[in-house]
Amino acid sequence: MRLPCSPRRDEDRFATGLCKAVTYLKMISFQYKALPWNIIFGAGALSRLPEELGKLGYSRALVLSTPNQVGDGQGIVNLLGDKAVGLFDQAMMHVPVETVAQATAEVKRLEADCSVSIGGGSTTGLGKALAFNLGLPNIAIPTSYAGSEMTNIWGITENNRKITNRDNVVVPALTIYDPKLTLTMPAAFAGASGLNAMAQAVANLVSEDPNPIVSVMAQEAIRALSHSLPIVISNPDNMEARTEAMYGACLAGGALGTGTTGLHHRLCHTFGGAFNTPHAETHTILLPHSVAYNAAATPVGTGKIAEAMGVDDAATGIFELAKTIGVPTALKDIGVKRTDLDEAAAAATETPVNNPEPVTRGRVRALLENAYHGRAPQPV
Ligand code: NAD
């Protein structure tokens, strides 16, 4: 009997194709752990919140927002009617432990049985912290492209030090994506937030051992974000582009949630922690440089990124996209001093990091020099 992996005749193309597929599948080896996502996505989806809250069996929601989005928070309280017990409007960037303590007191005082976060990653982060500390289920209503609602990563900041870890208890019981809620995002923030999302997807295509299922999400996220973000910036009221960008952010968050991180995220956390640089902008500046750093070791991953973006070179394509959407491309433009670079390179390389290219202090310092000046990305 003839086996499909040993075709006798050249014209037997089916058998040859099958042979290739079998060989390819033999090379694939991976573990994939899904997260318990429960997602409703679509323009106008927010109106389903009261009904969906009831289906989950919750009836005493504490709504969370930043001071900046107190109006959105009040809107949710009004929408929920007697299913809302209060509004805590003090969510802050990087989830300070003091804020978590204040919100915890409100949960207990009001006997809340769930939280509803409306806002960006900071507000989602507070809902996650309450879920981690109290086991309080969280419903996330994202209004930026941070993607935190798709991950099991929680973080709390104490004494200027951010502790992060993974735990599935922080995955929202429900996430409602309503792209209409992103219409109020200022253009500068929308661009940076979108590239922050893209970094989550990119990191999972240029990782040491990309997971094939995560890669599918990541590549589609990059396609959607690179296509939609320039339109979101040039035509902020375009609902199709707003919808595609939010869809891309959802998938990018999914890639981060079920995937991994490498040198890029290490660098961003180093700058955020040591120099308090703005989260999304730090990502936008460093991303092209960390892709260039790993390019030689990740030809398949960078090829997939370039294909998704419709460009020849991944790092250059991301750099050009950042310029097109008008986000910062130089560390010197977000308050970093040149004298900070040595300290940052030392801190980022203090402990080992999983990364396709070996991470050395000298090469990281060279990467940072390029990023500081806003030069075009290049191998170092
Ligand atoms: P953010 O949540 O701090 O939002 C920035 C500001 O924009 C806030 O004042 C917010 O209220 C406002 N804003 C958000 N959406 C808006 C809208 N549609 N209209 C008007 N104003 C709006 O910033 P972010 O970039 O969304 O999130 C950053 C935080 O999320 C960081 O702390 C980061 O570490 C965290 N994060 C966590 C994960 C994770 O997996 N745990 C993933 C990504 C980001």
Side-chain angles (χ1 to χ4, degrees):
M1 199 184 101
R2 209 178 109 207
L3 294 172
C5 281
S6 55
R8 279 192 206 134
R9 294 173 307 174
D10 285 350
E11 68 273 20
D12 193 344
R13 292 166 70 192
F14 173 74
T16 307
L18 193 59
C19 173
K20 281 186 185 159
V22 169
T23 309
Y24 177 63
L25 285 173
K26 272 187 193 157
M27 285 161 37
I28 293 180
S29 150
F30 66 92
Q31 177 176 13
Y32 175 78
K33 280 194 187 172
L35 291 179
W37 295 319
N38 177 16
I39 301 163
I40 297 176
F41 188 109
L46 179 61
S47 64
R48 290 175 58 179
L49 176 65
E51 181 196 344
E52 295 296 328
L53 198 82
K55 281 189 203 165
L56 289 168
Y58 309 134
S59 55
R60 300 186 60 80
L62 176 64
V63 179
L64 310 174
S65 77
T66 61
N68 200 15
Q69 284 183 281
V70 62
D72 290 334
Q74 194 54 53
I76 299 295
V77 170
N78 296 344
L79 178 66
L80 284 175
D82 62 6
K83 289 195 179 79
V85 291
L87 168 63
F88 179 83
D89 61 11
Q90 294 299 311
M92 287 176 68
M93 181 77 90
H94 302 313
V95 197
V97 71
E98 298 80 8
T99 310
V100 180
Q102 289 165 9
T104 300
E106 282 300 273
V107 169
K108 291 185 175 161
R109 184 178 72 82
L110 298 166
E111 297 180 1
D113 63 5
C114 68
S115 68
V116 176
S117 307
I118 176 139
S122 299
T123 312
T124 309
L126 178 58
K128 285 173 146 183
L130 295 175
F132 183 74
N133 285 349
L134 306 173
L136 188 76
N138 173 244
I139 285 102
I141 304 173
T143 62
S144 79
Y145 305 131
S148 173
E149 62 286 345
M150 291 294 286
T151 83
N152 55 0
I153 303 169
W154 59 268
I156 294 179
T157 303
E158 188 168 17
N159 299 326
N160 291 329
R161 214 173 139 249
K162 190 164 181 178
I163 308 156
T164 61
N165 214 329
R166 290 189 186 247
D167 193 313
N168 283 8
V169 77
V170 306
V171 177
L174 171 67
T175 295
I176 297 183
Y177 285 104
D178 187 337
K180 283 185 180 175
L181 298 171
T182 64
L183 286 168
T184 48
M185 239 196 300
F189 178 52
S193 184
L195 276 193
N196 177 192
M198 195 139 141
Q200 300 165 353
V202 165
N204 275 288
L205 285 173
V206 297
S207 68
E208 256 189 322
D209 185 18
N211 182 297
I213 296 179
V214 176
S215 294
V216 173
M217 281 192 281
Q219 200 173 4
E220 173 65 352
I222 293 165
R223 187 208 57 73
L225 288 164
S226 60
H227 177 255
S228 58
L229 288 176
I231 307 171
V232 164
I233 302 307
S234 63
N235 185 1
D237 293 333
N238 185 316
M239 265 310 289
E240 270 180 40
R242 290 278 184 182
T243 302
E244 190 179 27
M246 193 164 222
Y247 161 70
C250 163
L251 289 177
L256 178 67
T258 51
T260 184
T261 59
L263 174 64
H264 174 70
H265 283 80
R266 169 68 64 84
L267 291 175
C268 291
H269 289 161
T270 301
F271 276 97
F275 308 110
N276 203 21
T277 53
H279 179 82
E281 286 78 358
T282 310
H283 274 279
T284 69
I285 296 164
L286 291 171
L287 187 61
H289 299 281
S290 45
V291 171
Y293 188 101
N294 282 322
T298 56
V300 175
T302 46
K304 284 184 179 177
I305 295 167
E307 186 190 334
M309 296 183 74
V311 298
D312 293 332
D313 177 73
T316 308
I318 295 167
F319 187 65
E320 292 301 324
L321 176 64
K323 287 201 286 186
T324 304
I325 62 180
V327 294
T329 52
L331 287 173
K332 64 181 163 66
D333 293 341
I334 59 164
V336 175
K337 295 193 280 302
R338 194 151 177 261
T339 47
D340 296 334
L341 301 184
D342 285 338
E343 185 187 333
T349 54
E350 208 170 60
T351 54
V353 50
N354 287 335
N355 194 63
E357 276 284 314
V359 175
T360 65
R361 189 161 154 182
R363 287 181 68 189
V364 167
R365 178 63 180 79
L367 179 163
L368 295 181
E369 185 73 23
N370 289 335
Y372 175 79
H373 294 286
R375 292 177 187 143
Q378 53 202 279
V380 289

